[in-house]
Structures are given as C-alpha cells and as structure tokens.
Amino acid sequence: MVAETTIIENEEDEKRVLENHAFEKLRFGLANHIHYYKVKKTKNTVVEQRSGRKRLYDHNLILRSMFRNRILHHKYGSIGRLLDGASFIDFGSAILYEEGAVTVRDLYEDQFLARYIKKIVATDINDPEYDHTRYIEIHFTERDPFPFAFNEIPYRLDDPSYIRILTKLYTPNEFSPVIFRSTNSGPDLFYTVEEMKEHFRSVLDANPHRTILYFFNRYIFFRTPCESKFQLIGTIDEKVGVNHSFSAWRYVDWNKREFAEAIDPNFRYIRIADERNESKADRIDAMISGYSCQIQAKMKFYRHKFTKTMTK
C-alpha cells in the first residue's frame, strides 16, 4: 500500500525532502542559532542578513536554461514556455547586507532573464526584538530604494489568504505563472517540518490556477494547475548556493560555470535537451498538454466565480 503524500507528489521525494529539512533545522534553525544570527555582527548588519553576490547564481543559470527550452517536462514540454511572463517573489532577501538583497539584484540585473520574468520582488521581516533587527524600518529610513519591488512579510508564511494577496499584488492576473524562492532564508531553515509542510500547503492553496516554480533550499519544485502537489524536478549544487560552512560561491568562475554543474535533474519528471533535439511532434504534444491545462484552470476558476455569484 502506497502512503499518501501531503505536499510532494512522489512518496520517495517527499520523504527525502522532509528528512533533509529536519536535518537543516537541527543544524541551523534552532532557537540558539536564531538568537546568534540576530546578535552576531557581520559587515553592516547581523549574521541573519548574511548573503553574497552570486551566492544563488545557479538559479540564474537554471532559469536561463529553462527559458532556452533546455529543461523539458515529460508531459508539458518546455517548462520555460509555461513560465514565460512570470513574477519572481523571493522570501527573505537579506535587505541590509551590503547593497541590500544582493541575490535578488543578481536576478534583476540579468538581461536575458528580464525578457521572461516581468516582475521581481524582494521581501523581508521586521523583527521588533532588537532595534538592529527592525530590518524594514532600517531599510526605509537609512537605505536607498530598491530598483525592484519590495514587500514586508510575516515570519510565518502559512496563511493562504496572505500568500494569495501577496502573489496577486505582483502578477497581472489569476493565471500568471509565479516563481518563489526560499533559500538560506526563513521557511527553508527556521521552520519545523510541520511548519514547512503548512507553508507548502498554503502556497499551493493560494495559487490553484497558476503554474508555480519554487526554489526551496537545494530543491526545485514545479506544479501546474493540473496537479495538486509539487513535483521535485531537481536539486541545485549544494556545495555552492546552500553551503553554510564556506563561501564557495565567491570562488566560482561564473563566466565558465556550465548549467550542468548547477543542477541534478530528477529524470522522473524532466529531461535535459537542446531545443533542436526536441522533435516537432513532441513539442506540439507538450504544448497541447500545457494549453489544455491552462484552459482547464480558467474554466475551473470562472465556474467557481459564477457559482459564488449565483449563491449570493
């Protein structure tokens, strides 16, 4: 008998993710760790805000390959096609470190990605425990404005209504794709396993009609409106972006690093190919599946809206 999964489609994948999350929480997210991050100084802020230019640049490499149609879903074909025009919302952006939200700046300044990602949003918490952890207040009073959108978020992102409003604020409509990221921030390090599962359920429940890509810690999750749970489509190189013991990203030659070094694909769901290697028939079949899924999502949305109107 196959056990019922809660947030990830495949049982084996979910078990691996939850076990890793529990381990990360134990190593980096206990109360004594969090207190240390808030009081230990680093450069112009505290350890809790530590980040670094290019730390998450593997995400840039992966997204570029997606939009170059190199990452192909077995059912839907090019994931990049489904994400074209997406909004990118980063949870916990270290807004006070160096020039502020440096990994978000890496995305914003990527001219290739700018063709496909239409809105980029940095976020952070406003922690009232200490004067120097009131990150939002400090940013507004002492820092220059960001060149991209910025929003305050609560510590616990487990309310579907809040996530729905946040997403709707930065997307053109109910069906626009969205890319989330929580890497070296709050949900992926500081939440308990149950809090993390509740966060995932809230993200899914808040966006039933959207295609979602979620960079969460080392993992890359994907879901179309035709699925109810995330599919784990790959992991990033854990020796670089999520390395907490050594600033490995500072020593990478990013001009030479290849996309294949950045990702470990989950071949259960995707394959890696050049656009020219995707046959025309496969491309048409995948596009039909993708469009069919989008049409189903719109029909479901408007049917629900009509039903609500009639019952008022």
Side-chain angles (χ1 to χ4, degrees), residues 252-277:
V252 173
D253 186 343
W254 291 103
N255 292 319
K256 295 182 179 179
R257 187 166 172 84
E258 297 288 337
F259 154 68
E261 299 174 83
I263 187 173
D264 180 17
N266 185 350
F267 293 113
R268 181 182 291 113
Y269 296 111
I270 64 172
R271 64 186 178 92
I272 309 299
D274 292 326
E275 171 67 5
R276 60 181 177 272
N277 291 334

Side-chain angles (χ1 to χ4, degrees), residues 116-171:
Y116 303 96
I117 298 176
K118 300 308 179 185
K119 194 78 173 180
I120 293 178
V121 186
T123 69
D124 217 326
I125 61 171
N126 201 51
D127 186 346
E129 186 172 359
Y130 303 101
D131 288 341
H132 62 267
T133 61
R134 296 175 184 269
Y135 305 127
I136 306 296
E137 295 175 28
I138 295 170
H139 168 74
F140 280 126
T141 57
E142 300 180 14
R143 297 297 190 93
D144 293 331
F146 290 123
F148 38 78
F150 170 63
N151 211 92
E152 180 181 350
I153 56 171
Y155 173 78
R156 287 280 299 277
L157 284 164
D158 57 0
D159 181 357
S161 297
Y162 177 85
I163 296 173
R164 185 179 300 113
I165 292 169
L166 179 68
T167 310
K168 193 173 181 179
L169 187 63
Y170 297 110
T171 51

Side-chain angles (χ1 to χ4, degrees), residues 204-222:
L204 291 167
D205 291 347
N207 298 284
H209 312 297
R210 302 183 193 277
T211 294
I212 305 172
L213 187 76
Y214 196 170
F215 292 108
F216 187 88
N217 198 266
R218 71 190 64 179
Y219 301 107
I220 309 165
F221 296 104
F222 176 73

